Amino acid sequence: MATRYLAIVSATADEWALVPKALEALTGLTASHVSSSLTVFVEYDRDIIKMEGTDGLAIGTVFSREDRPKRISKFGAAQTARLVRSSGRALMKEYWGGYVAFVPSEDGNISIIRDPSAQAACYYLFKHPFWVFASDVEALISSGFFEPIVDWRALAHQLRSAGIKSTRTALTGLFELLPGFALSLQSDKSESHPYWSPWDHVGKRMNRKAGEIRAELKDTISGAIGAWAGQYANILLGISGGLDSSVVAAALAARHSSVTFMTMATRTPDGDERVYARVLAHSLGIPLIEKIYEPSEVDFLRGVSLHLPRPMGGAMSQVSTQVVKGVLPDGRDSAYFTGRGGDNVFCYSQSATPLLDRIYTEGLTPAVLTTIRDICDLSGASVWDVVAMALRRHRARSNAYSWRRNNRFLTEATATTPLFDHPWLDLPDSGLPGKAVHIAMLLRIIDNLEPSARNLTVDEITPLVSQPIVEAALAIPTWEWLRGGRNRSPVRDAYSDDLPREILYRKGKAGPDTFATDLLAANMTAVREHLLDGCLCYEGLVDRTALELSLGEFFHSKTNDAPRLLQLAEAESWARHWTRKVPVRKSA
């Protein structure tokens, strides 16, 4: 469950007089703000933060910028004036949270702004004479403003993109306002502007000492997680036994009295982290729920992203969703927290680019040798390998990050889909290659944070991608993240007094990848039918011959196609949902 809303912009008073009551009945949402320029329907009035003396407002959760952030219930006259003068840009400088805001400007226009952390969704379309914004597709359909039709070209782009979004969704005529961006409206046209850029937070205070970095990072993490935790009476945290969820666990344990931990494990050792989860729970004095992934509990044909305008996530999340629903009381007083995004925010990379960052920033000082040694210790590569990798990267034409496509199983016809582009990938003149990698990692997680379970009846919070934490992480030089040959070193140092040594000093980590293989193996007959006779093949997106070969050799193949096959299975379920039919297979 997330903040649900429907907002209509640029309607005249005459056209709009009788509409709010009708839309309340259709959508089940309440008209909390009605004017000639902006009408907003929400599920909970608490989600509206009004801007005094104007039609402006924010929807969702907004916190102040303090050591102990406070939730904002309204913007006063002085606060609103700053927002209006800046056309909303001040919102991202003075506040943070999970919100979509509608901010009037001095010229009479309105800017629609989405916070950089992607904690609140924003989809939009133009239906003359209205601009319509919503948290989800269901609200748009029930309102009568939208009739869903699959955009096969956009779906192909989604499958090829390996995680980067464009403003186009895979439903025709429906667009997404990307995190950190603002939309300006002019009659039937719109223009998107980046209001927040990760590059604005790179390189600040580069000369801080390790102890100062450690203290500031911990204060920021604890403050942000504490702010989110303060909104809920009951919290369930998914822990994996790794560093990121353990940091969230420590911050929650210090700030909240009603927390429960949950860990998921496979029946094979390479996906079983329970021993570390138990150590963590015992150390913090928090009860732990353990759950085993069972293939019999997963229906991979029942897509988990059918409520979204793009296929995302996978069937494995069905297991954790059922656990969450069985533990937490329904409603807005409960939340499911995760440690997702920690690897990305805390720059978990084994590339040689931090070496280049240090040389470009400080020159060929003795400290360069320290960074070479750190990379060797972390990656297992030799000194010569690290130097060679750095030289190859130095000789490249650009320091920018090149986003790689995932072409596996897709037809050549889909190669005509648009190139992958995002302003965060554009390197400024002073941009460093290691920071370009760090920012690409951020983009990869922030673009994929939509909840994969529409039927989850509590809020889902990903606190590590909160704007203050992301900005603090960006300000730390890339070579500091691997100091001492330890990944995410500043975070480990920051929480050295709060977490058990078994968590702090472990180097490897298990994962649920084997469960993906087991799930496919247990459902191979159904998988073949679902994919080979499905919409993706019928519409020419997927190479049926290559797919059939992989499925036939699945148990003998040396390559691990399981995650990609499950991704395609989710996309197939999504496509069948929106087309409302199962296609008849084309003859050869």
Side-chain angles (χ1 to χ4, degrees):
M1 185 173 73
T3 299
R4 295 200 69 219
Y5 68 89
L6 179 76
I8 295 93
V9 178
S10 297
T12 68
D14 290 340
E15 291 170 326
W16 204 235
L18 300 176
V19 175
K21 287 296 181 184
L23 283 181
E24 284 185 334
L26 289 170
T27 63
L29 303 175
T30 302
S32 292
H33 178 88
V34 180
S35 73
S36 60
S37 60
L38 174 65
T39 299
V40 177
F41 302 81
V42 292
E43 192 169 18
Y44 296 96
D45 284 336
R46 180 191 180 193
D47 291 332
I48 293 284
I49 307 108
K50 293 192 175 182
M51 300 174 187
E52 187 175 321
T54 72
D55 271 346
L57 54 84
I59 306 171
T61 305
V62 178
F63 295 110
S64 61
R65 291 262 190 174
E66 300 173 274
D67 291 339
R68 280 186 171 262
K70 298 176 182 176
R71 183 167 183 170
I72 301 297
S73 59
K74 71 173 183 178
F75 296 99
Q79 297 167 316
T80 298
R82 289 196 298 274
L83 296 178
V84 171
R85 283 196 302 269
S86 65
S87 296
R89 291 182 184 272
L91 193 59
M92 293 188 184
K93 294 181 179 179
E94 299 181 20
Y95 306 94
W96 65 276
Y99 62 82
V100 174
F102 296 79
V103 183
S105 58
E106 292 178 318
D107 61 8
N109 291 322
I110 190 168
S111 296
I112 298 86
I113 302 164
R114 186 181 179 196
D115 90 274
S117 72
Q119 298 286 311
C122 185
Y123 302 107
Y124 66 95
L125 56 85
F126 178 71
K127 187 81 169 179
H128 183 79
F130 311 128
W131 284 95
V132 187
F133 297 81
S135 56
D136 54 90
V137 184
E138 180 183 325
L140 291 168
I141 295 174
S142 62
S143 69
F145 284 111
F146 184 59
E147 182 178 349
I149 300 173
V150 174
D151 183 337
W152 297 105
R153 179 178 169 84
L155 178 57
H157 180 272
Q158 169 77 9
L159 293 174
R160 190 178 292 274
S161 69
I164 191 172
K165 285 182 182 177
S166 70
T167 56
R168 287 174 62 187
T169 71
L171 295 177
T172 302
L174 183 62
F175 300 88
E176 179 178 6
L177 180 58
L178 299 179
F181 282 72
L183 196 71
S184 59
L185 307 177
Q186 297 178 350
S187 65
D188 62 343
K189 295 181 180 180
S190 64
E191 187 174 359
S192 179
H193 310 275
Y195 265 25
W196 183 91
S197 170
W199 289 107
D200 292 339
H201 304 277
V202 170
K204 293 184 176 180
R205 305 171 65 200
M206 293 283 282
N207 296 323
R208 289 176 298 165
K209 295 181 179 180
E212 187 180 1
I213 291 173
R214 177 175 64 243
E216 291 184 4
L217 184 61
K218 184 175 183 179
D219 287 346
T220 302
I221 293 171
S222 298
I225 294 177
W228 282 116
Q231 310 309 306
Y232 304 98
N234 308 288
I235 293 175
L236 177 67
L237 169 65
I239 62 173
S240 63
L243 178 66
D244 305 320
S245 59
S246 297
V247 165
V248 179
L252 285 175
R255 294 288 188 94
H256 205 283
S257 59
S258 183
V259 179
T260 302
F261 294 165
M262 174 189 74
T263 191
M264 307 290 299
T266 64
R267 291 200 176 275
T268 54
D270 54 355
D272 189 348
E273 296 279 283
R274 286 176 294 175
V275 63
Y276 294 101
R278 291 166 187 164
V279 168
L280 178 67
H282 176 74
S283 171
L284 297 175
I286 304 295
L288 173 66
I289 296 171
E290 300 179 11
K291 177 67 179 177
I292 298 293
Y293 283 110
E294 296 286 3
S296 61
E297 296 179 352
V298 176
D299 179 3
F300 82 94
L301 299 180
R302 190 184 80 239
V304 298
S305 60
L306 306 187
H307 60 292
L308 298 174
R310 305 179 184 87
M312 298 181 69
M316 290 172 60
S317 65
Q318 293 174 17
V319 182
S320 58
T321 297
Q322 290 306 311
V323 176
V324 173
K325 293 177 69 175
V327 173
L328 288 175
D330 293 350
R332 297 301 292 276
D333 286 334
S334 300
Y336 174 49
F337 279 54
T338 76
R340 285 186 66 193
D343 287 351
N344 310 67
V345 174
F346 302 140
C347 197
Y348 185 3
S349 171
Q350 297 190 32
S351 80
T353 54
L355 174 58
L356 292 178
D357 284 8
R358 189 155 208 175
I359 293 173
Y360 294 165
T361 303
E362 299 179 348
L364 289 171
T365 67
V368 168
L369 298 177
T370 300
T371 299
I372 292 175
R373 184 176 65 247
D374 290 342
I375 296 173
C376 291
D377 291 344
L378 180 62
S379 66
S382 70
V383 170
W384 304 115
D385 287 339
V386 170
V387 171
M389 285 188 288
L391 283 173
R392 284 196 298 271
R393 191 70 178 80
H394 173 68
R395 291 168 180 162
R397 293 183 178 181
S398 171
N399 286 336
Y401 183 86
S402 178
W403 199 273
R404 294 182 180 179
R405 303 182 178 202
N406 186 350
N407 297 317
R408 186 64 172 149
F409 298 123
L410 301 183
T411 62
E412 291 185 5
T414 65
T416 60
T417 57
L419 295 175
F420 310 119
D421 190 22
H422 193 288
W424 294 1
L425 297 177
D426 294 338
L427 206 72
D429 292 339
S430 59
L432 298 171
K435 274 302 174 186
V437 172
H438 189 184
I439 289 169
M441 293 166 64
L442 285 173
L443 182 58
R444 194 175 297 278
I445 187 63
I446 288 175
D447 257 10
N448 290 275
L449 281 180
E450 288 168 288
S452 58
R454 179 67 182 93
N455 61 347
L456 195 62
T457 52
V458 300
D459 285 351
E460 186 174 343
I461 305 297
T462 313
L464 292 182
V465 299
S466 297
Q467 187 179 343
I469 298 177
V470 170
E471 291 174 355
L474 286 167
I476 298 173
T478 53
W479 60 86
E480 289 290 344
W481 288 110
L482 44 80
R483 178 184 287 273
R486 301 179 303 159
N487 61 68
R488 297 161 288 177
S489 182
V491 181
R492 295 181 192 275
D493 290 343
Y495 283 86
S496 59
D497 295 331
D498 302 88
L499 295 175
R501 292 177 60 86
E502 294 92 330
I503 302 292
L504 284 170
Y505 294 105
R506 63 178 304 200
K507 293 185 177 180
K509 187 176 181 300
D513 289 349
T514 56
F515 181 66
T517 303
D518 293 343
L519 182 60
L520 280 172
N523 295 276
M524 184 53 67
T525 301
V527 172
R528 289 178 58 85
E529 179 181 344
H530 189 60
L531 288 176
L532 297 180
D533 296 331
C535 294
L536 302 183
C537 285
Y538 183 84
E539 296 293 337
L541 274 64
V542 169
D543 184 334
R544 192 178 189 280
T545 301
L547 189 61
E548 189 169 22
L549 180 63
S550 178
L551 290 169
E553 297 182 349
F554 181 77
F555 295 104
H556 310 288
S557 176
K558 293 182 180 179
T559 60
N560 183 16
D561 281 330
R564 181 61 161 175
L565 291 170
L566 285 177
Q567 181 189 34
L568 293 178
E570 177 65 28
E572 178 62 34
S573 297
W574 181 92
R576 293 189 186 196
H577 170 76
W578 290 113
T579 56
R580 310 292 183 186
K581 66 181 180 180
V582 178
V584 177
R585 181 173 141 192
K586 287 181 178 179
S587 59

XYZ file of all heavy atoms in Angstrom, residues 156 158-162 406-410 520 531 560-570:
192
model
N 9.370 -3.483 -25.392
C 10.659 -3.990 -25.857
C 11.803 -3.171 -25.276
O 12.842 -3.713 -24.867
C 10.702 -3.959 -27.388
N 11.762 -1.595 -22.469
C 11.860 -1.946 -21.055
C 12.665 -3.231 -20.861
O 13.523 -3.324 -19.981
C 10.446 -2.111 -20.480
C 10.367 -2.732 -19.109
C 10.724 -1.764 -18.003
O 10.878 -0.576 -18.245
N 10.873 -2.270 -16.790
N 12.413 -4.240 -21.686
C 13.100 -5.524 -21.557
C 14.576 -5.412 -21.933
O 15.423 -6.131 -21.402
C 12.422 -6.569 -22.436
C 10.996 -6.964 -22.015
C 10.379 -7.894 -23.055
C 10.996 -7.623 -20.644
N 14.885 -4.531 -22.835
C 16.269 -4.366 -23.294
C 17.063 -3.432 -22.389
O 18.296 -3.482 -22.356
C 16.276 -3.821 -24.727
C 17.644 -3.833 -25.404
C 17.549 -3.315 -26.831
N 16.820 -4.218 -27.681
C 17.347 -5.262 -28.315
N 18.626 -5.527 -28.171
N 16.609 -6.040 -29.078
N 16.389 -2.608 -21.615
C 17.062 -1.496 -20.942
C 17.889 -1.885 -19.735
O 18.689 -1.085 -19.257
C 16.016 -0.467 -20.494
O 15.222 -0.998 -19.436
N 17.682 -3.078 -19.187
C 18.444 -3.532 -18.011
C 18.298 -2.576 -16.834
O 19.239 -2.325 -16.085
C 19.919 -3.722 -18.365
N 20.521 -5.350 -22.283
C 20.327 -6.782 -22.097
C 19.571 -7.312 -23.314
O 18.348 -7.177 -23.409
C 19.540 -7.062 -20.811
C 19.455 -8.553 -20.512
O 19.806 -9.392 -21.340
N 18.970 -8.892 -19.337
N 20.302 -7.887 -24.247
C 19.697 -8.361 -25.492
C 19.256 -9.824 -25.426
O 18.702 -10.342 -26.403
C 20.692 -8.213 -26.644
C 21.061 -6.765 -26.891
O 20.203 -5.897 -26.879
N 22.344 -6.499 -27.100
N 19.481 -10.489 -24.314
C 19.232 -11.928 -24.218
C 17.783 -12.259 -24.563
O 16.849 -11.736 -23.966
C 19.566 -12.400 -22.805
C 19.481 -13.900 -22.591
C 20.493 -14.644 -23.421
N 20.556 -16.061 -23.080
C 20.864 -17.021 -23.939
N 21.164 -16.715 -25.206
N 20.913 -18.267 -23.556
N 17.613 -13.088 -25.591
C 16.340 -13.630 -26.065
C 15.497 -12.625 -26.856
O 14.412 -12.975 -27.314
C 15.489 -14.199 -24.924
C 16.122 -15.348 -24.214
C 16.330 -15.293 -22.848
C 16.523 -16.483 -24.898
C 16.925 -16.344 -22.169
C 17.114 -17.547 -24.235
C 17.322 -17.473 -22.870
N 15.960 -11.405 -27.037
C 15.162 -10.430 -27.778
C 15.493 -10.483 -29.264
O 16.618 -10.794 -29.655
C 15.397 -9.022 -27.232
C 15.055 -8.822 -25.756
C 15.261 -7.357 -25.367
C 13.627 -9.252 -25.449
N 12.073 -22.507 -11.606
C 11.918 -22.847 -13.021
C 11.891 -24.358 -13.221
O 11.074 -24.888 -13.988
C 13.059 -22.240 -13.833
C 12.916 -20.760 -14.178
C 14.192 -20.242 -14.819
C 11.741 -20.544 -15.122
N 5.697 -19.070 -22.126
C 6.559 -18.200 -22.902
C 6.506 -18.482 -24.404
O 6.404 -17.556 -25.216
C 8.004 -18.322 -22.406
C 8.302 -17.684 -21.052
C 9.738 -17.964 -20.625
C 8.057 -16.172 -21.095
N 23.545 -19.171 -16.640
C 22.400 -19.073 -15.743
C 21.372 -18.115 -16.325
O 21.433 -16.905 -16.112
C 22.841 -18.606 -14.355
C 21.676 -18.562 -13.384
O 20.627 -19.140 -13.640
N 21.863 -17.862 -12.286
N 20.419 -18.667 -17.055
C 19.365 -17.853 -17.649
C 18.157 -17.723 -16.743
O 17.179 -17.068 -17.119
C 18.909 -18.474 -18.978
C 19.868 -18.174 -20.127
O 20.512 -17.104 -20.095
O 19.960 -18.998 -21.049
N 18.188 -18.328 -15.564
C 16.998 -18.360 -14.717
C 16.444 -16.965 -14.416
O 15.237 -16.734 -14.585
C 17.280 -19.127 -13.432
N 17.250 -15.997 -13.961
C 16.690 -14.669 -13.683
C 16.054 -14.023 -14.910
O 14.984 -13.404 -14.798
C 17.914 -13.868 -13.197
C 18.840 -14.897 -12.650
C 18.667 -16.084 -13.548
N 16.695 -14.176 -16.072
C 16.130 -13.578 -17.288
C 14.839 -14.275 -17.693
O 13.869 -13.625 -18.094
C 17.156 -13.665 -18.423
C 16.693 -13.049 -19.752
C 16.401 -11.570 -19.629
N 16.404 -10.903 -20.933
C 16.097 -9.641 -21.125
N 15.740 -8.875 -20.096
N 16.143 -9.095 -22.329
N 14.790 -15.576 -17.568
C 13.573 -16.313 -17.920
C 12.420 -15.930 -16.998
O 11.273 -15.790 -17.449
C 13.837 -17.818 -17.865
C 14.773 -18.361 -18.951
C 15.146 -19.805 -18.661
C 14.129 -18.240 -20.335
N 12.712 -15.763 -15.723
C 11.661 -15.331 -14.801
C 11.218 -13.900 -15.099
O 10.034 -13.557 -14.956
C 12.151 -15.440 -13.360
C 12.216 -16.864 -12.792
C 12.791 -16.837 -11.382
C 10.837 -17.524 -12.791
N 12.160 -13.065 -15.534
C 11.797 -11.711 -15.924
C 10.858 -11.730 -17.134
O 9.857 -11.004 -17.179
C 13.053 -10.901 -16.265
C 12.761 -9.462 -16.662
C 13.970 -8.733 -17.197
O 14.830 -9.331 -17.848
N 14.055 -7.444 -16.932
N 11.168 -12.578 -18.114
C 10.310 -12.695 -19.288
C 8.957 -13.292 -18.922
O 7.920 -12.906 -19.479
C 10.991 -13.546 -20.360
C 12.245 -12.936 -21.002
C 12.855 -13.909 -22.004
C 11.924 -11.607 -21.682
N 8.949 -14.221 -17.980
C 7.684 -14.806 -17.539
C 6.808 -13.745 -16.883
O 5.583 -13.716 -17.098
C 7.944 -15.956 -16.562
N 7.414 -12.878 -16.088
C 6.658 -11.778 -15.478
C 6.136 -10.829 -16.552
O 4.976 -10.382 -16.500
C 7.541 -11.021 -14.493
C 6.889 -9.815 -13.845
C 5.711 -10.186 -12.943
O 5.697 -11.310 -12.395
O 4.797 -9.346 -12.782
